[in-house]
Amino acid sequence: MPITQLPPQLINQIAAGEVVERPASVLKELLENSLDAGATRVDVDVEEGGIKLCRVRDNGIGIPGNELSLALSRHATSKIATLDDLEHVASLGFRGEALPSIASVSRLTLISRHRGQDTGWSVQGDGSDAAETPVPAPAQEGTSVEVRDLFYNTPARRRFLRTARTEYQHVDKVARQIALSRFGVAFRLNHNGKTILNLPAADSIELEEQRLAAILGTEFMAHALYIEHVHNGMTLRGWAARPTFSRSQPDLQHFFLNGRAVRDKVIVSAVRQAYRDVLFHGRQPAYVLYLEIDPALVDVNAHPAKHEVRFRDSRPVHDFVRRTIEAALAETRPSGEGVSSSAPAAMGFEAAPAAYPQSSLRFGSGGTAHTYRGVADSRGAEQLAQLAAESSAVLPDGDEDDVPPLGFAIAHLHGVYILARNRDGLVIVDAHAAHERVTYEQLKQAVDDGHGVQRQPLLIPMRMNVAEAEADKAEACAAELESVGLVVDRSGPDQLTVRELPVLLGQADAEGLLRDVLSDMSDDDGSAERVAEVRNELLATMACHGSVRANRALSIPEMNALLRAMEATDRADQCNHGRPTWTQLSMQELDRLFARGR
């Protein structure tokens, strides 16, 4: 077959294969055009999931009548004119393919009235080659695009559409995502004549959070932390859910780069690393994040549908996002403000006031011993006893405002849960989970300070038989083990000797600890990120071994010492595996349980 020039209609229908997959992709293109036109209000009407009708009306700047035909021509756009414009593009769409592609596979009507003009103009497309001549039409300022009978002239593609219900689910997802991307734009979605979303413009954080609750649900907002940080020309703001609100799927992860919704592997990795110490394995965080950077530093044309981007230098972006979210999550600990019946879901995040007794928390560098030490069993009881002697264990008779966030212990239930009384009611603490977080954060701090974990020699070195491969691993990683407080020698082809343990672990089971640590030391790629992950995995394993066990009876002073430590420890709302460490029943909830006041 000889080389021939394709007819315009076929060119448009081929292009439609790239940008028009289903009604939802039509809606996405139309909504992005409305936002690029500066609209402050957008109304969407769809019928039969968008297959029969998808109409988008906005109050944007509109299109002059003499340019209306060009709007249905390929590669015609008002958004870029030069290569420099392309490299600094800030608009959502810019290639000029959407409207002609949509018009080639549907019955399209475009009505627009340019701002300042007395009348509107209308042009139609029905998939044919003929270019319509615009005609005058009554219209308000802005643009209305009506797309009917999608794929009516391409039956093969229409057969690939799903049911109207399934197509509507995709439409709804796109509508909600666009509504999340622009808080300042009022947004309404109707389906088959029924209003699904009716969102006023939001010009304050309070109104933004109301929109988030309407789109993502009130449960997300009940667990959300507000984030806002500026650094090196980058701004990150948004909401990240507390670890207790994790998901089995990444279905509540929304990220917007300069107002554009993208799914970027750099950002996904940064968020995952920020949550790595506080989530169960396999669980997914929930978040809505907005990153603003210089458009010249990112290529938004790296993907045909512009779902993915390419950063000029991804490392500073990755580090900025990770550290910002890490800092927010570090503050998820009991505080004196906002501790309520929904705790830990609705707590404040200030450090425990200095007035609370904290003589047992002499945090310092690796060269200074931490008085609050972990114990694995009753053999370490004297350590907690010594600590408890330094702590206040008396519930004050005076002003209740002097009571710390987690209050004061009143009982140890079944050797597992600490019951405490605070200003609001009853606090319940999982002693092992809480102690594990406290110990883990202290171990990490000792390593991060650069002094290493303080060690103590065993009176009698402990020898153990292992597989030869484990002995090889321990010998090769001796320096890494020593950096986390474990001094281990290879004393034979299949034998290891443990000589020193971290002070914080007290009288932990050295053999069980080392076996678990060796099993956690999986092969890594040598990257700084993976090295840090492996180090933290080892410290988490050690913290678990060094934490108070179930059925280990705690005295009132020992329990109070742990409560005070939680209030001063980062991420104390959950253990290293993502489980909550505490909850609260308010007096109102307790009264409801017993029908008091009825």
Side-chain angles (χ1 to χ4, degrees), residues 172-247:
D172 182 72
K173 182 178 179 181
V174 166
R176 291 173 187 271
Q177 188 173 63
I178 294 294
L180 285 175
S181 72
R182 292 290 196 283
F183 286 112
V185 178
F187 190 87
R188 184 172 64 187
L189 169 65
N190 298 324
H191 182 225
N192 292 339
K194 179 182 178 181
T195 299
I196 307 300
L197 291 174
N198 190 8
L199 307 170
D203 57 3
S204 67
I205 292 179
E206 180 181 7
L207 292 176
E208 289 176 355
E209 291 183 344
Q210 290 178 11
R211 174 174 288 202
L212 285 174
I215 296 173
L216 302 179
T218 56
E219 197 65 17
F220 171 80
M221 288 311 304
H223 292 81
L225 304 169
Y226 180 69
I227 296 171
E228 187 167 7
H229 186 51
V230 180
H231 178 71
N232 270 359
M234 297 181 287
T235 301
L236 181 68
R237 68 182 295 266
W239 293 262
R242 294 180 178 87
T244 48
F245 186 75
S246 62
R247 315 279 291 181

Side-chain angles (χ1 to χ4, degrees), residues 326-396:
E326 274 185 347
L329 294 175
E331 294 301 309
T332 53
R333 59 188 176 200
S335 79
E337 299 179 9
V339 179
S340 67
S341 59
S342 58
M347 298 184 294
F349 303 99
E350 298 300 323
Y356 302 151
Q358 295 189 17
S359 61
S360 58
L361 301 175
R362 297 201 296 268
F363 293 96
S365 65
T368 302
H370 300 294
T371 305
Y372 189 71
R373 300 173 180 172
V375 290
D377 53 35
S378 59
R379 290 177 294 175
E382 67 279 4
Q383 296 178 346
L384 270 183
Q386 179 182 356
L387 166 64
E390 303 175 7
S391 303
S392 171
V394 180
L395 189 65

Side-chain angles (χ1 to χ4, degrees), residues 442-458:
Q442 290 181 348
L443 288 169
K444 282 199 303 180
Q445 187 63 51
V447 174
D448 291 341
D449 285 343
H451 301 286
V453 176
Q454 188 181 11
R455 306 187 302 271
Q456 61 184 8
L458 298 178

